[in-house]
Amino acid sequence: MEKDIRICHFTSVHDAHDDRIYLKECISLQDAGYKVFIVAKGKSKAENGIQIIGCGKPKNRAERVLLFSRKIYKEAKKLDCDIYHFHDPELLHYALKLKRCGKKVIFDSHEDVPAQILDKGWIPFIFRKVLSACYRIYETYVVKRIDAVIAATPHIGEQFKDRANKIVVINNYPKLDDIVFHDTPFEQREAIICYAGGIDEIRGEKVMVEAMKDLDGTLVLAGKVKGKIYRGG
């Protein structure tokens, strides 16, 4: 069936080629026949039939939250799409603006943000519980007024129970055509454990490294490193 629905994914935090956003969601939508746009950091270009609208890059976190997120919203709104799918907590405010314009709006929650705030090293410890509680209240206010929440894990989806109008879990599993299957029997392979994703303490880097002390095998961490690499105590 021919579709003329326009869908805009917009993010102030992630790159336009983020695996979840670009490969798993936008490419899938494009393959299904929808017109897809991505508004994000970087430069503008067209790839695989998807129009990427680049908005440059913020200089720091404060500029991103206070100014750059608004720029992302304005560029997204100009596209006048039917569905807006956003990926960052700092864009919740703009989601309400789009909803008031009669758009379908979806929040893609990659993390359990209230819990994540409790572990943010750049937030003074004494403020974390209050900020976490305040964020959850505001998040609830917004998701009750938009159309749906897409969660990256079942756990995150559970956190929106009785708070969001509709919850759908889309796990960050590899696409089947990206997987290279081995012919070697499992018991004959090397004992290798691989983690793919952002590498820092908040994502379990230290825990994984420490756990390997009790295991006979090799740990491979693949991804962008934030801060210093933990090499064990």
Side-chain angles (χ1 to χ4, degrees), residues 38 42 55 74:
I38 303 175
C55 296
K74 285 186 172 181

Side-chain angles (χ1 to χ4, degrees), residues 28-159:
S28 296
L29 289 167
Q30 174 68 18
D31 290 345
Y34 295 96
K35 181 64 177 175
V36 184
F37 302 84
I38 303 175
V39 181
K41 296 184 292 186
K43 298 180 179 179
S44 297
K45 53 188 169 182
E47 285 187 10
N48 297 314
I50 297 171
Q51 186 66 45
I52 298 173
I53 294 86
C55 296
K57 292 185 178 180
K59 296 178 182 178
N60 49 51
R61 183 184 290 114
E63 182 181 315
R64 190 195 76 208
V65 173
L66 299 175
L67 301 175
F68 188 69
S69 59
R70 180 174 175 80
K71 182 178 182 180
I72 292 286
Y73 158 70
K74 285 186 172 181
E75 291 299 322
K77 186 181 178 183
K78 285 180 187 177
L79 297 171
D80 193 27
C81 290
D82 303 285
I83 300 173
Y84 284 88
H85 187 141
F86 71 102
H87 295 263
D88 313 306
E90 62 203 48
L91 298 172
L92 286 166
H93 170 64
Y94 302 111
L96 287 179
K97 288 178 174 289
L98 290 167
K99 187 60 189 172
R100 293 185 189 116
C101 293
K103 306 298 183 180
K104 294 287 186 182
V105 183
I106 299 167
F107 177 32
D108 197 319
S109 185
H110 297 200
E111 310 284 352
D112 179 353
V113 179
Q116 192 182 49
I117 290 172
L118 297 175
D119 290 324
K120 292 286 189 182
W122 55 271
I123 300 176
F125 182 78
I126 59 173
F127 298 130
R128 292 181 197 174
K129 284 188 177 180
V130 173
L131 288 174
S132 176
C134 289
Y135 171 80
R136 183 180 172 88
I137 291 170
Y138 183 64
E139 183 183 65
T140 301
Y141 175 81
V142 174
V143 299
K144 281 184 177 294
R145 288 160 176 78
I146 62 176
D147 297 277
V149 170
I150 290 179
T153 69
H155 168 76
I156 295 171
E158 280 293 317
Q159 305 313 303

Side-chain angles (χ1 to χ4, degrees), residues 199-201 205 225-231:
I199 302 173
D200 59 12
E201 186 171 351
E205 174 198 15
V225 177
K226 297 180 181 178
K228 296 182 178 180
I229 297 176
Y230 179 75
R231 301 185 184 279

Side-chain angles (χ1 to χ4, degrees), residues 9 42 121 152 165 175 187 209:
H9 280 250
N165 290 316
K175 298 176 74 173
E187 61 273 10
V209 172

Side-chain angles (χ1 to χ4, degrees), residues 148-151 156-158 160-169:
V149 170
I150 290 179
I156 295 171
E158 280 293 317
F160 286 96
K161 187 177 180 181
D162 300 324
R163 296 201 293 139
N165 290 316
K166 185 175 182 179
I167 306 162
V168 178
V169 175

